């Protein structure tokens, strides 16, 4: 099996969702390899990641606690909302959420597709940050470009308002050196989004 076939198989192993996000990235070079240098407030982003991981751990316990003590479960749920509020506030401080800069993306645990203003070379490594809206979950990772093709060649894909004018490139990337906590956060977000979509379909 070729490397490209293996990559395609790996991509099919993950559930994918259509989502909205503010995507920022830069090419990774020998002189530019620190993700911390990419952010206005690196300490805020580190704290945001910790809060997201804490929220994930609390959510795992909620189901077990609810079966035994509803009052304690209600307390944990209230505390979880406070953690979520702090995380959202940090995301807003770290990232300038401008509606004109938002775009639609395809997201999975293993990678994502988004519209980039420039064509990226397959194999190019990126430092990538995506802030999902309205959940304000932030993804910080290294990524490798799988493909980057003009939106004019793929009119069936609607990922960005830029496509209305045929501008930009649909760039697909695989996450690399992706931490397990980040992967679990993305996985839970995908599950929640799928559940919300099913509920809307049944209404």
């Amino acid at each position: 099996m070729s490397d490209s076939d293996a990559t395609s198989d790996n991509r099919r192993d993950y559930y994918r969702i259509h989502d909205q996000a503010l995507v920022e990235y830069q090419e990774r070079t020998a002189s530019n390899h620190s993700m911390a240098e990419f952010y206005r407030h690196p300490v805020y982003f580190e704290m945001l990641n910790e809060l997201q991981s804490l929220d994930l751990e609390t959510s795992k316990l909620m189901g077990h606690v609810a079966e035994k003590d509803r009052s304690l479960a209600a307390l944990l749920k209230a505390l979880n909302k406070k953690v979520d509020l702090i995380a959202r506030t940090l995301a807003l401080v770290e990232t300038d959420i401008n509606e004109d800069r938002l775009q639609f993306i395809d997201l999975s645990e293993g990678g994502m597709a988004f519209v980039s203003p420039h064509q990226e070379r397959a194999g190019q490594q990126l430092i990538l940050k995506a802030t999902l809206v309205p959940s304000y979950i932030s993804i910080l990772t290294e990524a490798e470009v799988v493909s980057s093709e003009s939106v004019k060649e793929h009119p069936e894909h609607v990922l960005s308002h830029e496509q209305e004018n045929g501008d930009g490139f649909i760039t697909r990337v695989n996450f690399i050196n992706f931490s397990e906590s980040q992967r679990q956060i993305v996985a839970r977000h995908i599950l929640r989004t799928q559940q919300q979509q099913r509920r809307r379909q049944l209404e």
Side-chain angles (χ1 to χ4, degrees):
M1 178 184 295
S2 67
D3 291 341
S4 60
D5 290 338
T7 300
S8 298
D9 287 344
N10 289 337
R11 288 177 60 192
R12 285 194 293 267
D13 286 342
Y14 297 110
Y15 290 107
R16 309 183 73 85
I17 60 169
H18 205 49
D19 213 339
Q20 191 173 35
L22 172 64
V23 180
E24 302 172 86
Y25 74 92
Q26 60 186 18
E27 294 183 355
R28 184 176 182 182
T29 63
S31 60
N32 170 32
H33 59 274
S34 173
M35 289 187 286
E37 295 174 358
F38 188 42
Y39 302 101
R40 293 182 298 175
H41 308 287
V43 66
Y44 285 5
F45 203 84
E46 290 176 9
M47 187 182 299
L48 180 58
N49 280 336
E50 290 296 326
L51 287 171
Q52 289 177 166
S53 297
L54 179 61
D55 178 57
L56 181 65
E57 291 300 318
T58 305
S59 297
K60 290 179 180 179
L61 296 172
M62 289 286 287
H64 299 293
V65 173
E67 296 175 358
K68 300 180 180 179
D69 191 328
R70 292 185 178 181
S71 296
L72 180 56
L75 175 60
L76 287 175
K77 187 174 181 180
L79 292 174
N80 217 31
K81 287 183 177 179
K82 289 184 178 182
V83 171
D84 185 54
L85 178 60
I86 295 172
R88 285 170 178 260
T89 302
L90 285 175
L92 287 171
V93 171
E94 166 60 32
T95 305
D96 180 18
I97 304 295
N98 186 325
E99 289 188 4
D100 293 336
R101 298 172 61 200
L102 294 177
Q103 63 167 283
F104 293 103
I105 65 171
D106 280 340
L107 175 68
S108 77
E109 294 177 46
M112 61 183 285
F114 61 95
V115 173
S116 61
H118 310 290
Q119 187 170 29
E120 298 295 335
R121 174 179 55 82
Q124 172 67 53
Q125 291 191 1
L126 308 175
I127 299 174
L128 183 144
K129 173 186 174 186
T131 304
L132 307 180
V133 177
S135 66
Y136 293 103
I137 290 174
S138 294
I139 300 170
L140 169 63
T141 185
E142 299 169 49
E144 183 173 329
V145 176
V146 176
S147 64
S148 187
E149 302 172 322
S150 171
V151 297
K152 296 177 182 178
E153 299 177 16
H154 297 275
E156 72 279 8
H157 292 283
V158 182
L159 297 179
S160 170
H161 298 300
E162 291 180 341
Q163 288 182 260
E164 295 177 0
N165 300 320
D167 298 328
F169 298 85
I170 297 180
T171 298
R172 296 178 174 82
V173 300
N174 285 335
F175 299 145
I176 55 177
N177 299 324
F178 202 41
S179 70
E180 179 60 19
S181 62
Q182 283 259 287
R183 188 196 66 76
Q184 290 185 24
I185 289 169
V186 171
R188 188 182 63 156
H189 173 73
I190 290 173
L191 179 60
R192 283 181 171 178
T193 301
Q194 290 174 328
Q195 291 172 340
Q196 292 170 357
Q197 291 173 346
R198 292 192 190 100
R199 282 196 294 267
R200 286 196 292 267
Q201 292 173 354
L202 294 174
E203 292 177 353

